[in-house]
Amino acid sequence: MARLEGRVRTTGELIAVISGRAPLRNLHSQVLWQLGVSIVRGDYPEGSILPADSDLLQQFSVSRTVLREALKTLSAKGMIEARARIGTRVLPRQRWNLFDADVLAWHFEIGPDVEFLQSLAEVRIGIELEASALAAQRRSDAQAEQLLAWADRMGEARTAEDFARTDLAFHHAVAQASGNPFMASISALVELALTASFTISSPVEDANLLRIAVLTHRRIAEAIANKDPDAARAAMKIAITEGFERSAARLAADGKVK
């Protein structure tokens, strides 16, 4: 669970609120969420067999069709595998699709450790540094102005959710300005990583941290506007590193470092 805007919400609810994704309203998504979180949390360890369908049907009080769709979705994410006369087995973690938005959200729902956050930051560095460099080479004048405007709007945020929405828009704009459709597609991972990170810590909680975050993003926007790919890479790396360090510090302060 995470807290933003005064009440406790699941990570799934926060992602829906911040990024505009569909909330967890139908039975399929609710069963999928609960099973996914249980597997990631280790309630059903790797290599173990899930309870029989009859037991799961009783547990969730849903139709067989709803349950089968949820299990089919988990299978598509590389998390489980059904075998005749054996049952549905939880697959090794290395088989899971960690680029999947739901799988990432389930990790944040149970509370990621610092190592997981660091791995995610390293992936973002591999993606977003080159996206920002390409944006510096290919951006239009309108895109450069838009990035500068988004950076300025970050400083106007008064709530964690407002800052998160603005930050998402900024990084999405960088991906679009790169002119590479694959970068724009991969930015979905970045979107989820950013959204989920705000369930741990937001710079809005500290005036100095907010000022630093705004200045860092302003430097990215200015480097892209000045068509300086090296400066764009350097500024983007600082932004990602600062976000990781802020989340890691909050986990440590809350005694949740694993």
Side-chain angles (χ1 to χ4, degrees), residues 3-238:
R3 182 180 295 275
L4 280 180
E5 303 307 298
R7 81 174 183 87
V8 175
R9 297 168 172 161
T10 67
T11 302
E13 289 177 314
L14 289 172
I15 291 169
V17 168
I18 295 171
S19 65
R21 295 178 184 271
L24 306 176
R25 286 179 177 169
N26 60 54
L27 289 174
H28 167 262
S29 61
Q30 292 173 18
V31 173
L32 175 64
W33 182 271
Q34 292 181 55
L35 279 173
V37 169
S38 294
I39 292 173
V40 173
R41 188 167 52 218
D43 297 348
Y44 305 119
E46 299 171 49
S48 67
I49 303 299
L50 292 182
D53 285 2
S54 58
D55 294 332
L56 292 175
L57 288 171
Q58 184 176 6
Q59 176 183 342
F60 294 114
S61 300
V62 296
S63 69
R64 188 172 297 275
T65 298
V66 169
L67 177 62
R68 285 179 175 174
E69 282 300 310
L71 294 174
K72 183 179 179 180
T73 303
L74 287 171
S75 178
K77 298 177 188 296
M79 299 182 73
I80 61 173
E81 180 180 61
R83 290 188 176 183
R85 296 186 298 277
I86 295 177
T88 302
R89 182 171 61 93
V90 177
L91 293 174
R93 192 171 294 262
Q94 60 264 30
R95 296 274 298 275
W96 301 359
N97 180 12
L98 292 179
F99 284 92
D100 182 87
D102 287 332
V103 178
L104 276 173
W106 297 332
H107 278 83
F108 276 92
E109 177 68 14
I110 67 170
D113 57 23
V114 173
E115 183 178 352
F116 183 85
L117 291 177
Q118 183 174 355
S119 296
L120 192 54
E122 289 167 353
V123 171
R124 288 189 58 199
I125 286 173
I127 296 170
E128 292 193 88
L129 265 63
E130 289 310 306
S132 61
L134 288 173
Q137 297 168 345
R138 300 172 178 175
R139 59 80 178 161
S140 66
D141 290 343
Q143 287 171 328
E145 292 176 4
Q146 182 185 49
L147 282 168
L148 290 166
W150 280 123
D152 288 340
R153 284 186 61 179
M154 285 184 184
E156 301 170 2
R158 293 295 176 266
T159 69
E161 287 179 14
D162 285 344
F163 183 89
R165 290 190 187 95
T166 307
D167 200 5
L168 286 175
F170 180 93
H171 287 269
H172 181 70
V174 170
Q176 291 294 324
S178 75
N180 185 318
F182 290 97
M183 287 292 185
S185 179
I186 293 174
S187 69
L189 167 68
V190 174
E191 174 184 289
L192 191 281
L194 278 169
T195 304
S197 71
F198 288 114
T199 69
I200 300 174
S201 176
S202 170
V204 172
E205 300 166 358
D206 183 295
N208 186 54
L209 291 178
L210 177 60
R211 180 185 62 81
I212 292 172
V214 172
L215 287 174
T216 301
H217 285 79
R218 179 78 187 185
R219 291 191 186 102
I220 298 171
E222 289 174 347
I224 292 174
N226 293 333
K227 296 188 174 182
D228 188 338
D230 290 336
R233 284 192 190 95
M236 181 63 78
K237 186 173 184 178
I238 291 172

